[in-house]
Amino acid sequence: MVDARVPATHVVCEGRAHGGGKIRAVMIGTPQELASLRRKIFAVTPDEQPAAPVPLTRLAAVVEAHADADLVLALAPRWASAALPASLTRFDEGVELLVPVPQALASWRAGDAPLGKYRRRMERAGLTVSLTRDEEELARFHARFYLPYVRARFGDAADPRRLAFVRARDWELLRVHRGAEWIAGGVGLVADDAYRFLDVGYRDGDRAPLDDGAGHALYAAALERAAERGLPRLDLGPERPFLGDPGVRYKRQWGARVAPTPWAARTLGARARDGEATRALFTQSPLVRPRDGGMEAFTPSPLSRWRDLGVSRTTWPLRGV
């Protein structure tokens, strides 16, 4: 168990947010979490003021000291979520993106837009996919593909998943090849009635194969494997619970719908002032959470804009519970 006295990183950021407005945001969490949250909130790198570390025992006091901030985002271990003050609305740290396999596979094979464009791109590049359950190949992928990719994205803040997590489960490795060259890969896990696709990596962290459709090839292969194994759902999660995130937008094109995650170990607390800039931000990228058997999005925008993602209700403003 994590010691409640261990501090989290605490930063105050100011800059142009997605949606175009300028906001001042207070964010608390691990370095990798903050690196991820910055990208969800800010359209350009914000001005940043590192502040004192925050022990969980002081979390509520620090949040309330920033009552004038446009936005507060604080992550805490789930077991310590009571440390989040009542002024923050609680969310799971992420959501799953679930794709119904029969419908998505039919769209992929028929070349329906936009999947047909993705299929043609990978075919022009001559990409193929192979499958292995070889332990040595998994270790090679983890060291040469996954770890460099995570570190290229997050730098010193990277907190990669341990190889033991995968090895302890029903796993298989999908590998993308250009000719004889192995350029990308991803791990598939069977979890309940879903094929869970995670831990994507590119050789030496080089994202260039994405331009040739390596990511499309991996998703298509995961979809085919889900069908071959008789699983009705392909789980493309997890993602942070921001519906405008580029990862969510891409997965939405494959027919993904947001769903609660059984994997969350952290709770996100959030609060936003009801101003022009925050309205623009959450119109473009709502926060979403499970609510009464459905999914609730915090946004000023209409429900019709998000219904295909599995959202059943919208709420605004974003205040505490």
Side-chain angles (χ1 to χ4, degrees):
M1 182 174 290
V2 178
D3 191 327
R5 295 168 297 179
V6 174
T9 305
H10 172 206
V11 295
V12 180
C13 300
E14 189 166 352
R16 182 165 62 84
H18 296 297
K22 185 176 181 180
I23 69 167
R24 181 171 177 269
V26 176
M27 295 187 285
I28 301 170
T30 68
Q32 180 168 314
E33 288 169 342
L34 298 188
S36 174
L37 290 175
R38 285 187 198 94
R39 291 200 293 267
K40 312 303 182 195
I41 301 303
F42 292 99
V44 297
T45 303
D47 294 330
E48 187 173 305
Q49 304 166 18
V54 183
L56 290 175
T57 52
R58 291 275 303 152
L59 185 57
V62 170
V63 167
E64 297 311 326
H66 291 286
D68 60 340
D70 298 303
L71 177 65
V72 174
L73 298 170
L75 280 146
R78 205 168 204 176
W79 61 264
S81 60
L84 296 168
S87 63
L88 302 184
T89 300
R90 287 164 172 75
F91 301 82
D92 289 335
E93 64 175 318
V95 291
E96 300 300 305
L97 275 296
L98 299 180
V99 176
V101 169
Q103 296 93 317
L105 191 57
S107 293
W108 172 256
R109 291 173 174 172
D112 295 342
L115 302 187
K117 176 179 66 177
Y118 299 155
R119 182 170 183 169
R120 291 190 294 273
R121 181 182 300 173
M122 59 171 279
E123 289 174 346
R124 284 195 302 268
L127 303 185
T128 59
V129 180
S130 67
L131 181 146
T132 183
R133 296 187 182 89
D134 185 271
E135 290 275 356
E136 291 185 1
E137 290 293 89
L138 177 65
R140 182 183 173 198
F141 165 76
H142 189 80
R144 289 286 308 278
F145 291 72
Y146 171 66
L147 290 180
Y149 175 58
V150 173
R151 288 165 181 157
R153 291 185 66 196
F154 296 106
D156 293 339
D159 183 20
R161 198 188 318 275
R162 295 181 183 274
L163 183 56
F165 175 89
V166 175
R167 282 180 164 157
R169 289 163 173 79
D170 180 3
W171 64 270
E172 52 192 36
L173 177 63
L174 302 175
R175 300 176 296 184
V176 179
H177 308 271
R178 186 193 293 115
E181 182 184 22
W182 179 12
I183 60 173
V187 173
L189 305 177
V190 174
D192 298 323
D193 66 343
Y195 188 87
R196 190 169 193 244
F197 185 64
L198 76 167
D199 291 356
V200 172
Y202 299 88
R203 193 178 62 192
D204 299 324
D206 182 5
R207 294 168 56 93
L210 282 168
D211 295 334
D212 290 334
H216 310 326
L218 285 169
Y219 273 33
L223 190 59
E224 295 279 3
R225 286 298 295 154
E228 289 167 4
R229 299 193 65 161
L231 298 168
R233 301 186 300 168
L234 171 62
D235 185 348
L236 295 178
E239 293 284 353
R240 296 287 179 202
F242 292 87
L243 296 183
D245 177 75
V248 175
R249 291 203 303 268
Y250 177 63
K251 294 170 184 181
R252 186 180 191 177
Q253 294 176 344
W254 291 79
R257 295 166 65 90
V258 291
T261 177
W263 307 83
R266 309 269 287 173
T267 298
L268 171 66
R271 180 181 72 213
R273 294 168 65 91
D274 186 15
E276 183 177 347
T278 53
R279 280 177 165 264
L281 169 63
F282 287 101
T283 292
Q284 183 169 320
S285 189
L287 267 169
V288 64
R289 68 175 183 177
R291 180 75 180 273
D292 297 334
M295 298 298 290
E296 176 184 37
F298 286 79
T299 179
S301 57
L303 175 61
S304 58
R305 184 174 170 184
W306 310 104
R307 199 186 296 275
D308 70 295
L309 263 171
V311 174
S312 54
R313 62 185 288 180
T314 56
T315 302
W316 187 259
L318 175 56
R319 295 175 177 154
V321 292

